[in-house]
Amino acid sequence: MNLSVNIGSLHLNNPVIAASGCFGFGREYSEYVDLNKLGAISVKGLTLEPRQGNAAPRCAETPGGMLNSVGLQNPGVHYFIEQEIPFLRQYSAKIIANIAGNSLDDYCQMAAILDDTDIDAIELNVSCPNVKAGCMAFGSSVDGISEVVSAVRARTVKTLIVKLTPNVRDIKEIALAAERNGADAVSLINTLLGMAIDINKKRPILANNYGGLSGAAVKPVALRMVHEVTNCVKIPVIGMGGICCWQDAIEFMLAGASAVMVGTANFINPLITIEIATGIEAYMRTQNYLSIEELNRALKMN
Amino acid sequence: MNLSVNIGSLHLNNPVIAASGCFGFGREYSEYVDLNKLGAISVKGLTLEPRQGNAAPRCAETPGGMLNSVGLQNPGVHYFIEQEIPFLRQYSAKIIANIAGNSLDDYCQMAAILDDTDIDAIELNVSCPNVKAGCMAFGSSVDGISEVVSAVRARTVKTLIVKLTPNVRDIKEIALAAERNGADAVSLINTLLGMAIDINKKRPILANNYGGLSGAAVKPVALRMVHEVTNCVKIPVIGMGGICCWQDAIEFMLAGASAVMVGTANFINPLITIEIATGIEAYMRTQNYLSIEELNRALKMN
Amino acid sequence: MNKHLVEIVEKTQLNSDTYQFTIHAPELSDSALPGQFLHINCSSDVAMLRRPISIFDIDKAKYTVSFVFQVRGHGTELLAKKNVGDKLDILAPLGNGFAVNSTFKSVCIAGGGIGIFPLFALLKQYPDAHKTSIVGFTSVGKFVINDEFAAISDKFIYCTDDGSGGFHGNTAQALELQLQAGDLPDIIYACGPTMMLNAIAKLSMQFNIPCQVSLEERMACGIGACLVCACKTKADSQSGWQHSHVCKDGPVFWAQDVVWEN
Amino acid sequence: MNKHLVEIVEKTQLNSDTYQFTIHAPELSDSALPGQFLHINCSSDVAMLRRPISIFDIDKAKYTVSFVFQVRGHGTELLAKKNVGDKLDILAPLGNGFAVNSTFKSVCIAGGGIGIFPLFALLKQYPDAHKTSIVGFTSVGKFVINDEFAAISDKFIYCTDDGSGGFHGNTAQALELQLQAGDLPDIIYACGPTMMLNAIAKLSMQFNIPCQVSLEERMACGIGACLVCACKTKADSQSGWQHSHVCKDGPVFWAQDVVWEN
Ligand SMILES: Cc1cc2nc3c(=O)[nH]c(=O)nc-3n(C[C@H](O)[C@H](O)[C@H](O)COP(=O)(O)OP(=O)(O)OC[C@H]3O[C@@H](n4cnc5c(N)ncnc54)[C@H](O)[C@@H]3O)c2cc1C
Ligand SMILES: Cc1cc2nc3c(=O)[nH]c(=O)nc-3n(C[C@H](O)[C@H](O)[C@H](O)COP(=O)(O)OP(=O)(O)OC[C@H]3O[C@@H](n4cnc5c(N)ncnc54)[C@H](O)[C@@H]3O)c2cc1C
Ligand SMILES: Cc1cc2nc3c(=O)[nH]c(=O)nc-3n(C[C@H](O)[C@H](O)[C@H](O)COP(=O)(O)O)c2cc1C
Ligand SMILES: Cc1cc2nc3c(=O)[nH]c(=O)nc-3n(C[C@H](O)[C@H](O)[C@H](O)COP(=O)(O)O)c2cc1C
Ligand code: FES
Ligand code: FES
């Protein structure tokens, strides 16, 4: 049995990836998890310059999920290259640099900078709902995504994963535009834009008012979108959104995802990525699947 | 203190409405709930001809929510008029006829037919994700909604509520188009399109493959959309999506909703509509709000 | 109103994953019929749907009703954690019970797996008739409440899919042998997997014996309002069929009224 | 690794909504420091975030750690339902504890509401110093573990916001009176509502006394990975501030390092 998958030229030992923003730069979880046992780590969303992000509170629990409005706090791409890549390179997990920008130029500059570094892939975050300028604006129209993907494609030979927002009417057309313009893979879903109100204070709970919904609650929407996208693009699809256990991961892979990313579930169980990898392996063994591709083809529609 | 609200010319004794598809034609719940204590009942989505709906299974539980793919099973608008209106008229709850069609002509015919009957309002369902033709297709573009709303508006003088789908990029532009074309109010959200897979059978759980997600899980998305819409339209907004307790209802009214609809929560607690109405009243009393409009204005943004 | 907050007065674990609960519920014990079900709130979580569970036994003298359930997923798992003294929020009795006809001289029940549970209270409605019980499980290890069925029946046949005990085969096959041997009851009542019910329905038509089946479908409201629990039944319409609803029009149907799909 | 499955060995209800739990946790009792916290999984539901709760007391001899918490919402409500013998899934010890300096001759703690809990174990680190405890609640009815604080302190002042007992006012006001009267400790440790901490931070600067505060912020991961628990601290950067994280850089901060907003 073979758990490995290829996402473009990116070879993963297994299909479990830590989702961006939910695993820091790997350091924090390295105490809990053997990072060698992860397929890859998508690091916290990077910007050209360091950012302090939004004011607190940045988090609100909601039924079966949570809202966050971190707003891309990060130490900047240069700090990442100098301080974090060397740490991560100690492990066999592949390094995916998640990048976000205010402008097309930001994306291009970061892609060019990262192209010269020892990372394995770039995840183009055009789907963060928590920053004022750029980002999700690019990701929610065919024109926007085409522009940014083709521009970034021209700047890097690294495996290029485009991360899609679910806050659209038809995610298929966005995914197809990413594919057409040179993406090696798409990952989805980023968070759904949501809100929670404190009825005693009569104010939104998040200082930023709106935030991104993630966690178990979004799983049915994520799974449907992954299924839609795997059925229209030819490039690999990385599925995520509410994956909390290996059974959830199997659902996404039956829906056609070549790999899965695990976000919010890490906060509840810091060992969950490894438990999911183990569970996938056991399921494939009992069900006699020899490869992830077989699993990807196993779903029968009603 | 005054709990009554006006939705166009529709006067409700209180802001709690049973959501369409979740309360049958009131009969089933009349054993549990005094229908006189509800603001209104939006009946199961009606079509011109009787419909048998989709195959079973039509329901899947998901974290904090459920998927349904009923697909508008209903006895048709004529049966409703003859058999259900007389029953409902025994109670003071206002009657909202939720109508769905395959084509523009369906909507127009039903509106014209209902215009002559003893109902209080029409809720234009242009947001059902579970039928092949029409419906959500109308509701997910500015052109589609403009066409259907203006056509229906020309056929009826009843209060016209347009029910919006959350499966769009920008619900504000859809709401504004509904307003521009003569809607007296908008109600939102209908269900989010989702999916669940049985990993043992390797098939989608729903016979229809995809279904509509409702219940607590969707609340943050619903609340955000209601907030967006109340801040851009001038007509009343009816909020729904995951309301499970009076506190949830207050969140929606702080977000600007004039009234709320309660759907999935009825399945778990058949008394919930009344408990919510009681809770809203108690909250307004302790917080010294004299009217729902005051509550609608009370939210301070961060 | 059918909403009750009832106390669990007895809890018995029947095997590794099956439990019998008895609740104190005077109104319910008075009005409930075999074949009806309880719609049980298994969680304190406001977002978890209720779970439909059939009535297993009714004790009018003690004002109790009992039910037996197997742990399958999250809801029944939480239910199994409840203890004597805990309160249960239930909607009951829901649906239509079995048609009981006191003139019947001979009745037969056929139950597969968790399908046997609603049939026990039913048999008790026939103190005077000759009662044949055919119960089936995947394997002997899964047997529960066999003794109770054996005790109350005049003829008791048990089956296992894997042949680890009793008749090797399912209850439909066992029933067929009975019928072929000329042991023809006045009525057959069946509950279990759809494939088994389908086979039994065919047998009942072949041997011209009235037959009622209790169907299962995923439910939300349990009272006929949400329409998710659809099943195909025969109708006078052009298509010849309609969608009925298991919670309200059932769960018990006459076998001949059901449209059986293959 | 900081993930443990520990057993609850003692549970005491302190008042209508406050509980003290003691857990058997040898490793933790050995390594944990006052001011650090436990990140507790309150539910069997895989989707509920953990809840941060401070260490209240550490008993190295008995290998136990205890914590005290108030029921606020859904998570703490579920936690309160756990019983002796139940297992708790915790991440601990997390965050940085208070700085303890054995040369200090006189220390003062000021705690408001649930803010008093982390300060108890801290006082025990100062067997020889003169200890002043200022604790405050909204009203006498809310008092918990006052006796323990009184017993361990050389000077004990209690405050109520509504004047229903002790000093009428909050702990910052009570502290101010002490300082004005010339009762100047070597260090002040404070925990409680932000407004109170802000006032105490100002007093500490005014009287030039080192001061540590324990901050609260909504958390998800608890270990510095998700960045949701931001708080503003001073920085060498152009803006003069940065977002630190309560779970990892705190929860204890030097008052002078925090950017206090009004
Ligand atoms: C009328 C009726 C009577 C029943 N009587 C009994 C009984 O007496 N004893 C018994 O052990 N079981 C009985 N069942 C089946 C029982 O309802 C399911 O096993 C149970 O709902 C599964 O819930 P779960 O939380 O364990 O599983 P999950 O997989 O967590 O359930 C997820 C969802 O699917 C639904 N679901 C899953 N399996 C079934 C099923 N087979 N039938 C209906 N809904 C299902 C659940 O209700 C829930 O909404 C009955 C079902 C029906 C419809
Ligand atoms: C470092 C630290 C130490 C703490 N120590 C204690 C203690 O010893 N005793 C005690 O009673 N309380 C303590 N608290 C506060 C405690 O964490 C909250 O009261 C608790 O999380 C509320 O959860 P809930 O389920 O009751 O409320 P809910 O309203 O259901 O919580 C919803 C969400 O908001 C978060 N939240 C709500 N209030 C707070 C708050 N005040 N601080 C942080 N998160 C919050 C919850 O963690 C959860 O994610 C501490 C908080 C922090 C940050
Ligand atoms: C606290 C938090 C921070 C996040 N930050 C980022 C980010 O920096 N870049 C990004 O592409 N996605 C970010 N995400 C989105 C996740 O990577 C993921 O797409 C989403 O949370 C859905 O997956 P989940 O339900 O498993 O968490 C963040 C999510 C959370 C909860
Ligand atoms: C079983 C079911 C059937 C529904 N049928 C209809 C319908 O016929 N017409 C309609 O406009 N909305 C229908 N809805 C959507 C609800 O009215 C409501 O918009 C949605 O469920 C969100 O609210 P909730 O979370 O309170 O359920 C249905 C929802 C459910 C769960
Ligand atoms: S479960 Fe709602 S109609 Fe049957
Ligand atoms: S809670 Fe995740 S960084 Fe502090």
Side-chain angles (χ1 to χ4, degrees):
Chain A
M1 196 186 51
N2 184 354
L3 278 179
S4 71
V5 285
N6 293 315
I7 307 289
S9 59
L10 175 69
H11 179 82
L12 305 180
N13 289 332
N14 76 57
V16 180
I17 306 173
S20 177
C22 302
F23 212 75
F25 294 103
R27 275 180 204 279
E28 294 77 13
Y29 281 99
S30 64
E31 193 195 327
Y32 296 88
V33 162
D34 179 355
L35 302 184
N36 294 305
K37 294 196 175 149
L38 290 178
I41 295 170
S42 178
V43 302
K44 176 64 199 168
L46 300 165
T47 50
L48 206 48
E49 302 298 328
R51 280 212 203 168
Q52 293 303 324
N54 294 321
R58 293 177 172 184
C59 165
E61 194 176 56
T62 65
M66 64 174 275
L67 292 167
N68 91 80
S69 56
V70 170
L72 292 178
Q73 178 172 9
N74 80 95
V77 68
H78 295 290
Y79 180 96
F80 166 71
I81 293 167
E82 284 148 36
Q83 306 293 325
E84 302 295 353
I85 295 181
F87 171 81
L88 283 168
R89 263 291 91 104
Q90 299 172 270
Y91 303 94
S92 64
K94 294 294 157 65
I95 306 174
I96 302 175
N98 180 283
I99 63 171
N102 289 342
S103 63
L104 192 62
D105 191 49
D106 282 0
Y107 283 105
C108 292
Q109 280 193 53
M110 272 191 284
I113 293 167
L114 286 162
D115 195 51
D116 285 336
T117 66
D118 192 14
I119 60 162
D120 301 295
I122 291 176
E123 184 174 44
L124 204 61
N125 176 355
V126 283
S127 45
C128 178
N130 291 320
V131 289
K132 292 216 172 55
C135 217
M136 200 170 89
F138 285 107
S140 34
S141 76
V142 168
D143 290 349
I145 200 122
S146 302
E147 187 183 10
V148 67
V149 173
S150 60
V152 166
R153 177 73 291 173
R155 303 303 193 283
T156 181
V157 298
K158 300 277 183 195
T159 296
L160 180 61
I161 304 164
V162 178
K163 184 156 178 184
L164 307 179
T165 173
N167 300 295
V168 295
R169 189 178 58 101
D170 181 1
I171 199 161
K172 299 186 295 298
E173 62 177 32
I174 309 285
L176 285 166
E179 178 178 49
R180 237 182 354 256
N181 286 281
D184 296 310
V186 288
S187 59
L188 62 148
I189 60 172
N190 207 317
T191 54
L192 280 156
L193 195 58
M195 182 183 199
I197 292 175
D198 182 326
I199 66 166
N200 296 310
K201 297 195 182 138
K202 286 141 200 143
R203 284 182 176 278
I205 292 181
L206 300 173
N208 200 43
N209 299 316
Y210 293 172
L213 182 66
S214 63
V218 309
K219 198 187 74 173
V221 174
L223 191 65
R224 182 263 302 177
M225 290 188 165
V226 166
H227 185 258
E228 286 182 329
V229 170
T230 58
N231 280 287
C232 75
V233 300
K234 289 186 191 65
I235 52 178
V237 173
I238 302 173
M240 85 194 93
I243 297 179
C244 296
C245 55
W246 64 264
Q247 290 90 338
D248 295 340
I250 299 291
E251 284 193 68
F252 278 84
M253 298 203 289
L254 286 169
S258 301
V260 292
M261 287 179 167
V262 180
T264 304
N266 290 291
F267 308 155
I268 295 146
N269 177 5
L271 312 182
I272 193 66
T273 44
I274 303 301
E275 291 177 9
I276 289 173
T278 312
I280 292 172
E281 186 169 353
Y283 175 87
M284 287 179 57
R285 202 177 299 283
T286 55
Q287 305 275 333
N288 291 314
Y289 291 118
L290 296 177
S291 69
I292 302 291
E293 293 79 47
E294 272 187 31
L295 193 51
N296 289 159
R297 286 190 301 262
L299 186 72
K300 302 247 176 326
M301 296 306 279
N302 290 318
Chain B
M1 197 186 51
N2 185 353
L3 278 179
S4 72
V5 284
N6 293 314
I7 307 287
S9 59
L10 175 69
H11 179 83
L12 306 181
N13 289 332
N14 75 56
V16 180
I17 306 173
S20 177
C22 303
F23 213 75
F25 294 102
R27 276 181 204 279
E28 293 77 13
Y29 281 98
S30 65
E31 192 193 329
Y32 296 89
V33 162
D34 179 355
L35 301 184
N36 294 306
K37 293 195 175 150
L38 290 179
I41 295 169
S42 178
V43 302
K44 176 64 200 169
L46 300 166
T47 51
L48 207 47
E49 301 299 329
R51 280 211 203 170
Q52 293 302 324
N54 295 320
R58 294 177 172 183
C59 165
E61 194 176 55
T62 65
M66 65 175 275
L67 292 167
N68 91 80
S69 56
V70 171
L72 292 177
Q73 178 172 8
N74 80 95
V77 68
H78 295 289
Y79 181 95
F80 166 71
I81 293 166
E82 283 148 35
Q83 305 293 325
E84 302 295 353
I85 295 181
F87 171 80
L88 282 168
R89 262 291 91 103
Q90 299 172 269
Y91 303 94
S92 64
K94 294 294 157 67
I95 307 173
I96 303 175
N98 181 283
I99 64 172
N102 289 342
S103 63
L104 192 61
D105 191 49
D106 283 1
Y107 283 105
C108 291
Q109 282 193 52
M110 273 190 283
I113 293 168
L114 285 163
D115 195 50
D116 285 336
T117 67
D118 193 16
I119 59 161
D120 300 295
I122 291 177
E123 185 174 44
L124 204 63
N125 177 356
V126 284
S127 45
C128 178
N130 292 322
V131 289
K132 292 216 173 56
C135 217
M136 199 171 90
F138 285 108
S140 33
S141 76
V142 168
D143 289 349
I145 199 122
S146 302
E147 187 183 10
V148 67
V149 174
S150 60
V152 167
R153 176 73 292 172
R155 305 298 193 286
T156 181
V157 298
K158 301 277 184 194
T159 297
L160 180 60
I161 303 164
V162 178
K163 184 157 179 184
L164 307 180
T165 172
N167 300 296
V168 294
R169 189 178 57 101
D170 181 2
I171 199 161
K172 300 187 294 300
E173 63 177 31
I174 309 284
L176 285 165
E179 177 178 49
R180 240 186 349 259
N181 286 282
D184 295 311
V186 288
S187 58
L188 63 148
I189 59 172
N190 207 317
T191 53
L192 279 157
L193 195 59
M195 182 184 199
I197 292 175
D198 183 325
I199 65 165
N200 296 311
K201 297 194 184 138
K202 287 141 198 144
R203 283 183 176 278
I205 293 182
L206 299 174
N208 199 42
N209 299 317
Y210 293 172
L213 182 66
S214 64
V218 309
K219 199 188 73 173
V221 174
L223 190 65
R224 183 262 301 177
M225 290 187 165
V226 165
H227 185 259
E228 285 183 330
V229 169
T230 58
N231 280 285
C232 75
V233 300
K234 290 187 192 62
I235 52 178
V237 173
I238 302 173
M240 86 194 90
I243 297 178
C244 296
C245 56
W246 64 264
Q247 289 91 338
D248 294 341
I250 298 291
E251 283 192 69
F252 277 85
M253 298 205 288
L254 285 170
S258 301
V260 292
M261 287 179 166
V262 180
T264 304
N266 289 293
F267 309 155
I268 296 147
N269 177 5
L271 311 181
I272 193 65
T273 44
I274 303 301
E275 291 177 10
I276 289 173
T278 312
I280 292 172
E281 184 168 357
Y283 175 87
M284 287 179 58
R285 203 177 299 284
T286 55
Q287 305 275 333
N288 292 312
Y289 292 117
L290 296 177
S291 70
I292 303 290
E293 293 79 47
E294 272 187 30
L295 193 51
N296 289 158
R297 286 190 301 264
L299 186 72
K300 301 246 177 325
M301 297 305 279
N302 290 317
Chain C
M1 190 180 68
N2 284 333
K3 189 169 186 293
H4 311 277
L5 199 65
V6 296
E7 190 176 322
I8 302 170
V9 293
E10 215 182 307
K11 171 183 179 176
T12 319
Q13 183 163 0
L14 302 179
N15 69 17
S16 65
D17 60 2
T18 310
Y19 294 80
Q20 178 170 355
F21 278 24
T22 304
I23 53 174
H24 179 77
E27 257 183 89
L28 188 59
S29 67
D30 192 48
S31 64
L33 301 173
Q36 290 188 305
F37 67 95
L38 323 178
H39 212 26
I40 305 179
N41 196 343
C42 300
S43 152
S44 58
D45 182 345
V46 290
M48 179 178 257
L49 294 175
R50 291 172 181 268
R51 302 296 193 252
I53 302 287
S54 300
I55 290 170
F56 170 69
D57 202 3
I58 303 167
D59 190 331
K60 287 190 202 284
K62 290 194 183 149
Y63 304 114
T64 60
V65 166
S66 68
F67 56 91
V68 178
F69 67 96
Q70 203 181 52
V71 173
R72 289 280 180 91
H74 197 47
T76 47
E77 197 176 300
L78 287 172
L79 187 58
K81 287 193 183 143
K82 306 256 180 192
N83 287 309
V84 169
D86 288 351
K87 299 274 189 200
L88 267 190
D89 163 12
I90 60 170
L91 306 184
L94 299 186
N96 300 310
F98 292 103
V100 173
N101 182 330
S102 55
T103 67
F104 288 159
K105 298 250 163 341
S106 154
V107 303
C108 174
I109 62 104
I114 60 172
I116 70 171
F117 305 139
L119 300 169
F120 184 71
L122 171 64
L123 279 182
K124 285 180 140 187
Q125 302 293 304
Y126 286 105
D128 302 324
H130 180 273
K131 298 180 277 296
T132 302
S133 293
I134 308 177
V135 306
F137 287 89
T138 48
S139 155
V140 279
K142 294 287 174 189
F143 275 2
V144 281
I145 53 167
N146 259 12
D147 296 344
E148 285 87 337
F149 272 98
I152 204 179
S153 309
D154 300 293
K155 186 169 193 177
F156 177 71
I157 299 167
Y158 66 98
C159 320
T160 52
D161 295 340
D162 66 357
S164 54
F167 175 78
H168 186 173
N170 70 31
T171 56
Q173 295 166 321
L175 175 65
E176 184 165 17
L177 289 183
Q178 294 298 306
L179 299 176
Q180 281 168 346
D183 198 346
L184 303 177
D186 293 328
I187 188 163
I188 301 166
Y189 300 102
C191 184
T194 312
M195 293 252 288
M196 171 195 129
L197 296 185
N198 191 346
I200 290 179
K202 287 206 181 100
L203 289 173
S204 74
M205 284 170 237
Q206 185 184 328
F207 289 88
N208 205 18
I209 299 170
C211 175
Q212 284 199 311
V213 294
S214 178
L215 301 184
E216 266 186 27
E217 195 42 74
R218 284 172 188 257
M219 293 185 179
C221 73
I223 62 171
C226 72
L227 309 186
V228 303
C229 62
C231 65
K232 265 193 175 176
T233 58
K234 289 177 190 153
D236 281 339
S237 64
Q238 215 183 335
S239 67
W241 65 271
Q242 65 185 4
H243 270 138
S244 293
H245 296 94
V246 171
C247 71
K248 200 184 165 197
D249 307 311
V252 177
F253 292 88
W254 288 102
Q256 78 223 28
D257 293 341
V258 175
V259 177
W260 299 97
E261 322 229 84
N262 294 311
Chain D
M1 192 178 68
N2 284 332
K3 189 168 187 294
H4 312 278
L5 199 66
V6 296
E7 190 177 323
I8 302 171
V9 292
E10 215 183 306
K11 172 183 179 175
T12 319
Q13 184 164 0
L14 302 179
N15 69 17
S16 64
D17 61 1
T18 311
Y19 294 80
Q20 178 170 353
F21 278 25
T22 304
I23 54 175
H24 180 76
E27 258 184 86
L28 188 60
S29 67
D30 191 48
S31 65
L33 301 173
Q36 290 188 305
F37 67 95
L38 322 178
H39 212 26
I40 305 179
N41 196 342
C42 301
S43 151
S44 59
D45 181 347
V46 291
M48 180 179 257
L49 294 176
R50 291 171 182 268
R51 302 298 194 250
I53 303 287
S54 301
I55 289 171
F56 170 69
D57 202 2
I58 303 167
D59 190 330
K60 287 189 202 284
K62 290 193 183 150
Y63 304 114
T64 61
V65 167
S66 69
F67 56 90
V68 177
F69 67 96
Q70 204 180 52
V71 173
R72 288 280 178 91
H74 197 47
T76 49
E77 198 176 298
L78 287 172
L79 187 58
K81 286 193 183 142
K82 305 257 179 190
N83 287 308
V84 169
D86 288 351
K87 299 274 187 199
L88 267 190
D89 162 13
I90 61 170
L91 307 184
L94 299 185
N96 299 310
F98 292 104
V100 173
N101 182 330
S102 56
T103 67
F104 287 158
K105 299 249 166 337
S106 155
V107 303
C108 174
I109 64 101
I114 59 171
I116 71 171
F117 305 139
L119 300 168
F120 184 70
L122 171 65
L123 279 181
K124 285 180 138 188
Q125 303 291 304
Y126 286 105
D128 302 323
H130 180 272
K131 298 181 279 295
T132 302
S133 293
I134 308 178
V135 304
F137 286 91
T138 48
S139 153
V140 279
K142 294 288 176 188
F143 275 1
V144 280
I145 54 166
N146 259 13
D147 296 344
E148 285 86 338
F149 271 98
I152 203 181
S153 309
D154 300 294
K155 188 168 192 176
F156 177 71
I157 299 166
Y158 66 98
C159 319
T160 52
D161 294 340
D162 66 357
S164 54
F167 174 77
H168 186 174
N170 69 33
T171 57
Q173 295 165 321
L175 175 65
E176 184 164 18
L177 290 181
Q178 293 298 305
L179 300 176
Q180 281 169 346
D183 197 346
L184 303 178
D186 293 328
I187 189 164
I188 300 167
Y189 300 102
C191 183
T194 311
M195 293 252 289
M196 173 197 128
L197 296 185
N198 191 345
I200 290 179
K202 285 207 182 99
L203 289 172
S204 75
M205 285 171 235
Q206 185 184 330
F207 289 89
N208 205 18
I209 299 171
C211 175
Q212 283 199 313
V213 293
S214 178
L215 301 183
E216 266 185 26
E217 194 44 73
R218 284 172 188 257
M219 293 184 181
C221 72
I223 62 170
C226 73
L227 310 186
V228 303
C229 63
C231 66
K232 264 192 175 175
T233 57
K234 289 177 190 154
D236 281 339
S237 65
Q238 216 184 333
S239 66
W241 65 270
Q242 66 186 3
H243 270 138
S244 293
H245 295 93
V246 170
C247 70
K248 202 185 165 197
D249 306 312
V252 176
F253 291 89
W254 289 101
Q256 78 223 28
D257 292 341
V258 175
V259 177
W260 299 97
E261 321 228 84
N262 293 312

